Amino acid sequence: MDTELLRTFLEVRNTRHFGRAADNLCITQAAVSARIKQLEESLGATLFTRTRNNIQLSAEGERLVPHAETVLLALARARHEAQLGDAGQRQLRIGLRNGLWGDALQRKLAALRDSDPGLRLNLASLEPGEAVRRLLDRSLDCALLCDPPGLAELDSLAVGEFSLRLYGSAGRQSLRRAINGDYVYMDWGGSFARFHVRHFGDQALPAMSTNIVELALASIADGGACYLPAGQRQSLAGRGLLPVRGAPVHTRQLSLVFHPEASQRETIEALARRFSGLRL
């Protein structure tokens, strides 16, 4: 099937008007009508109900919409991947744990792009276990992790530190009030879990546990506390969240992990040098 038929179908569905669809697609209205007719004949179904100044999707048209969108999205992704494979085009696929992103990392990556404009970055938010799996099957070039997996099959380079501090809303500044109030346990992995048990035992009974930073932030916005990246202090202060006095700090080494036979090893090592001294 000609994908232009599907593209025209979706444009008519969005505009509910053959003339406006034609303008958006830079073709004639007659061409739009011909494409829709060809698509309907190919599928053996009427896709639109047409009355004067009113075009609506039929039941069959409604069912076609998600399939048409999927086909066009897959085509766009295929073209993108093919273009990245052209000479002179390089892509670095980087895995990041949810919650690591911040101004410091943004500045490092911006500097990398400025120094190497031919490099295309593909960043994905991944849990550490998923990042390790994708490093091993070579579908990921490198991953920024705060707990290196220690596998012989993977290499790692230390690039900085990742620290977690207990932040609370402005009205909950003592440690006791923080852990006995609407405390949210943010799952930062095994080393943080051991740190948490060592320092709090069963004293800090969370009102909620999650591994989604945005959910934790939303939950403590109006009162509560949670362990969050120390490097995001300024943005957290803008949300009315301040460090809790007397709370222990959890600090781990930040490493760039990659497969020893990675095709982009030279670029990865350059990235590690660029990330050197990173504090999150």
Side-chain angles (χ1 to χ4, degrees):
M1 181 182 292
D2 184 351
T3 54
E4 287 304 313
L5 303 183
L6 296 177
R7 198 181 308 279
T8 303
F9 162 71
L10 291 176
E11 193 62 42
V12 174
R13 172 251 191 177
N14 292 337
T15 61
R16 295 290 198 267
H17 194 280
F18 277 44
R20 285 194 290 271
D23 290 341
N24 292 344
L25 294 169
C26 298
I27 58 177
T28 66
Q29 185 169 334
V32 169
S33 298
R35 288 181 180 182
I36 296 301
K37 182 179 180 181
Q38 183 181 345
L39 183 59
E40 289 178 328
E41 290 175 349
S42 174
L43 297 173
T46 299
L47 301 176
F48 294 98
T49 58
R50 305 169 179 84
T51 58
R52 185 177 179 84
N53 297 324
N54 187 20
I55 298 176
Q56 298 293 328
L57 281 171
S58 65
E60 293 83 359
E62 291 282 3
R63 289 194 291 271
L64 178 61
V65 168
H67 300 291
E69 291 174 336
T70 298
V71 169
L72 294 177
L73 180 59
L75 179 61
R77 286 176 174 169
R79 285 175 174 164
H80 177 68
E81 291 297 326
Q83 289 169 357
L84 288 172
D86 290 345
Q89 294 284 344
R90 292 177 298 114
Q91 178 186 26
L92 192 64
R93 299 162 298 180
I94 306 172
L96 295 170
R97 195 212 185 283
N98 174 38
L100 287 186
W101 191 262
D103 291 341
L105 191 54
Q106 174 69 43
R107 288 192 296 269
K108 295 283 188 180
L109 289 173
L112 175 66
R113 292 198 302 272
D114 290 342
S115 65
D116 191 352
L119 181 63
R120 300 293 179 265
L121 300 179
N122 184 336
L123 287 86
S125 175
L126 300 171
E127 288 301 304
E130 174 65 8
V132 169
R133 184 190 68 76
R134 291 183 57 178
L135 287 169
L136 291 172
D137 69 19
R138 312 288 286 276
S139 62
L140 194 67
D141 295 310
C142 59
L144 191 63
L145 301 175
C146 51
D147 280 313
L151 297 176
E153 296 92 335
L154 297 174
D155 285 348
S156 66
L157 295 170
V159 296
E161 288 184 348
F162 176 63
S163 296
L164 294 166
R165 297 195 64 170
L166 184 62
Y167 284 85
S169 58
R172 192 185 299 280
Q173 291 304 293
S174 74
L175 180 57
R176 172 173 292 189
R177 291 184 64 190
I179 64 173
N180 290 319
D182 295 326
Y183 176 64
V184 173
Y185 179 84
M186 179 67 196
D187 183 1
W188 291 105
S191 67
F192 176 72
R194 293 188 292 273
F195 159 86
H196 199 270
V197 169
R198 185 169 67 252
H199 286 280
F200 298 111
D202 59 359
Q203 297 177 59
L205 297 177
M208 182 179 71
S209 298
T210 182
N211 65 349
I212 305 171
V213 173
E214 294 77 9
L215 179 57
L217 287 170
S219 299
I220 66 173
D222 296 322
C226 180
Y227 267 92
L228 296 165
Q232 297 179 20
R233 179 169 184 160
Q234 186 172 353
S235 62
L236 292 173
R239 293 171 174 259
L241 301 174
L242 301 172
V244 174
R245 295 190 302 271
V249 178
H250 178 62
T251 300
R252 300 294 294 173
Q253 177 179 289
L254 199 60
S255 298
L256 197 64
V257 183
F258 54 96
H259 196 283
E261 298 178 4
S263 61
Q264 298 270 32
R265 182 171 184 125
E266 185 177 336
T267 304
I268 293 169
E269 290 175 346
L271 179 64
R273 291 191 295 272
R274 180 71 63 179
F275 278 4
S276 180
L278 187 60
R279 298 288 184 270
L280 299 180

